[in-house]
Amino acid sequence: MPKILIVGGGYAGFYTAWKLEKWLRAGEAEVTIVDPLPYMTYQPFLPEVAAGSIEPRHAVVAQRRHLKKTNVVTAKVTGIDHASKTATITPEVGEPWQFDYDVVVVTGGAVSRTFPIPGIADNAIGLKTIEEAVAIRDRVLTNFDKASNLPAGPERDRLLTFVVVGGGFAGIEVFAELRSFASSLLEFYPQLSFDDTHFHLIEAMGRIMPEVSLETSHWVIKHLAQRGAEIHLDTQLQSAVDGVIELSTGESFESDLIVWTAGVMANPAIVRTSDLPVEERGRIKTRADLRIGDEDDIVADAWAAGDISAVPDLTGGGVGGYCVPNAQHAVRQGKLLAKNIVAVLRGEEPKQYFHKNLGAVAGLGIGSGVFQSGKIALKGLIAWFAHRGYHGLAMPSWERKFRVFWGWWNNFFLGRDIVSLSALQQPRAAFEAFAARPKPAVAAAPAEPAAAPKAVKAPAKAKAEAKPKAEAAAAK
């Protein structure tokens, strides 16, 4: 059987494997998926995870549970040599090994793209993983706990000042969700008031959310301003050293939580360790039929999809002529990629990827959202229902859908859970503090020095000779 290697288990990789299981005949091919994480993260839910509206484990999909016919390998692919059709697989424990394949599918996704701004690498946190979303949630809760014990002043302001960098969909959603989350927490902290909390979003461009109309983006800015959140347009972050935010406008304030959402880039750990062609922005060159290559050349038996690939947008609506890196494209590319692989294995021609953007929908906190499709724009509660309905149904597998909707239902009646589990980052701290340890070994006592020899009496003749000499010395 031909061996199909899928590099990366995100949207595109997971859906490719999931649909290959459905469409491949028994014995037609052997599929292996390799990813350092044993789950796929549904990233549109990360803002709600950060705001405590979704249980973190409900926003991820276990690969081993839902890919029952696929070989799941939890490890990193640290090299792809397509000339020899081998990949280097490096597990967290153990030695790397070479994997021989017949067909490779590169769906390694993207990572946060940052700029060399002082302090960002040391103080900011991204929003690409479930772990980052959980850490943001716990930081907000922990900061409220700390601030409630402090008098009004700079230290309390620092703990209750939250900054988001980047005004795209991810940035606006997490910004609005955190504002909603903080407002809901105030009833549990009578020592704090609404005016004690400060929210700042920093965007270098002159507008936010380019996926929606300018009118809709203006409504979002006004809506968030009414909720006590400030958006800085045409503003660049110049420094964040030690949490001190310095803006290009001259403003300066301190923050204990900086969330970075200002762009993504193709996963360099995969792109830079393969011999596959790469375009100028660091993405793998990919044709419209999802085979790696360009219009003139095709790399045989090599496919790519998702954020790591530069797939032409045949609708003409993409940025620079390519599909934008979002879940809407990655999911659909993964499904088509599986069909195309099966088609080529059976001697048929692959189809080109063509998907016209269905629109954009964003949650802005409990009971508020925004939806844009063409000239149709929805705002407020109805858009919030559209956001939850769309993403709830888009979650892979009915098992995951049920968990997400059940969590929302419970929160409607019981409210959001407000327990911080920040201690999870150092889970052994409490155990180590009180754990009994062996007593230190008692050092052996030093040996007693040997007894000094007894003085020997001088002979009488010597005493007699010494006595006149001593008297003479005394006389002098």
Side-chain angles (χ1 to χ4, degrees), residues 43-356:
Q43 293 185 13
F45 281 157
L46 292 183
E48 288 200 60
V49 172
S53 295
I54 292 180
E55 175 65 25
R57 284 186 175 88
H58 297 171
V60 299
V61 182
Q63 294 170 355
R64 297 180 188 275
R65 179 168 187 167
H66 296 283
L67 300 179
K68 299 178 181 179
K69 300 178 183 178
T70 302
N71 300 321
V72 177
V73 179
T74 305
K76 295 180 180 179
V77 173
T78 54
I80 300 175
D81 184 2
H82 192 64
S84 62
K85 290 190 175 181
T86 59
T88 303
I89 298 179
T90 304
E92 187 172 350
V93 178
E95 296 296 323
W97 73 87
Q98 298 297 311
F99 183 91
D100 296 325
Y101 62 81
D102 298 291
V103 178
V104 67
V105 179
V106 184
T107 54
V111 299
S112 296
R113 181 194 63 184
T114 59
F115 306 106
I117 300 172
I120 285 297
D122 300 319
N123 299 293
I125 185 171
L127 191 67
K128 290 291 292 179
T129 68
I130 194 70
E131 293 82 3
E132 289 173 326
V134 172
I136 292 170
R137 173 187 177 275
D138 287 343
R139 176 67 67 85
V140 172
L141 289 167
T142 300
N143 282 10
F144 265 76
D145 290 334
K146 292 177 180 178
S148 65
N149 295 321
L150 295 174
E155 184 57 31
R156 192 167 80 172
D157 287 343
R158 176 189 177 93
L159 290 170
L160 297 179
T161 298
F162 308 101
V163 175
V164 175
V165 184
F169 251 67
I172 290 295
E173 282 195 291
V174 72
F175 184 63
E177 290 284 356
L178 290 180
R179 173 66 273 182
S180 173
F181 187 35
S183 297
S184 70
L185 290 175
L186 291 173
E187 65 173 300
F188 305 105
Y189 295 88
Q191 308 90 337
L192 304 176
S193 67
F194 182 87
D195 292 335
D196 291 326
T197 60
H198 312 282
F199 283 80
H200 298 270
L201 184 136
I202 303 166
E203 170 54 48
M205 305 297 290
R207 62 164 298 176
I208 60 170
M209 305 173 75
E211 297 88 347
V212 303
S213 67
L214 188 61
E215 180 184 355
T216 300
S217 71
H218 286 165
W219 179 88
V220 173
I221 294 174
K222 181 180 179 181
H223 175 70
L224 290 173
Q226 292 172 345
R227 290 164 52 186
E230 185 175 357
I231 295 179
H232 305 261
L233 296 178
D234 291 317
T235 304
Q236 295 180 346
L237 176 63
Q238 294 186 329
S239 177
V241 176
D242 296 328
V244 179
I245 305 299
E246 296 181 5
L247 305 180
S248 58
T249 58
E251 296 176 78
S252 179
F253 49 87
E254 294 188 30
S255 172
D256 194 57
L257 177 61
I258 306 168
V259 182
W260 181 273
T261 65
V264 297
M265 64 179 178
N267 191 338
I270 295 175
V271 172
R272 296 173 185 174
T273 57
S274 78
D275 58 353
L276 298 170
V278 178
E279 47 96 64
E280 60 273 8
R281 294 190 61 184
R283 298 172 296 180
I284 294 176
K285 289 183 179 180
T286 310
R287 293 161 47 90
D289 59 11
L290 304 180
R291 287 183 287 186
I292 294 178
D294 52 32
E295 294 182 359
D296 300 322
D297 297 313
I298 300 175
V299 180
D301 301 321
W303 306 76
D307 295 355
I308 201 171
S309 63
V311 179
D313 189 339
L314 301 182
T315 68
V319 177
Y322 295 100
C323 296
V324 296
N326 62 21
Q328 191 174 142
H329 282 303
V331 169
R332 288 167 175 78
Q333 288 172 7
K335 294 178 180 179
L336 178 63
L337 201 156
K339 287 184 178 180
N340 282 352
I341 290 175
V342 173
V344 171
L345 287 175
R346 297 173 183 172
E348 303 170 4
E349 286 297 317
K351 295 182 179 180
Q352 292 187 328
Y353 176 74
F354 182 94
H355 171 67
K356 191 172 183 179

Side-chain angles (χ1 to χ4, degrees), residues 350-420:
K351 295 182 179 180
Q352 292 187 328
Y353 176 74
F354 182 94
H355 171 67
K356 191 172 183 179
N357 189 3
L358 298 176
V361 60
L364 302 177
I366 301 295
S368 181
V370 62
F371 169 82
Q372 181 86 47
S373 180
K375 295 183 179 180
I376 300 175
L378 303 176
K379 309 177 187 73
L381 183 62
I382 189 172
W384 179 73
F385 277 117
H387 168 264
R388 285 207 161 178
Y390 173 79
H391 285 299
L393 294 174
M395 187 71 176
S397 84
W398 285 104
E399 176 255 341
R400 291 286 104 177
K401 288 179 174 65
F402 181 82
R403 292 182 189 273
V404 169
F405 279 106
W406 184 250
W408 282 335
W409 180 261
N410 287 336
N411 285 351
F412 179 78
F413 291 101
L414 304 176
R416 288 183 273 204
D417 201 321
I418 63 168
V419 176
S420 170

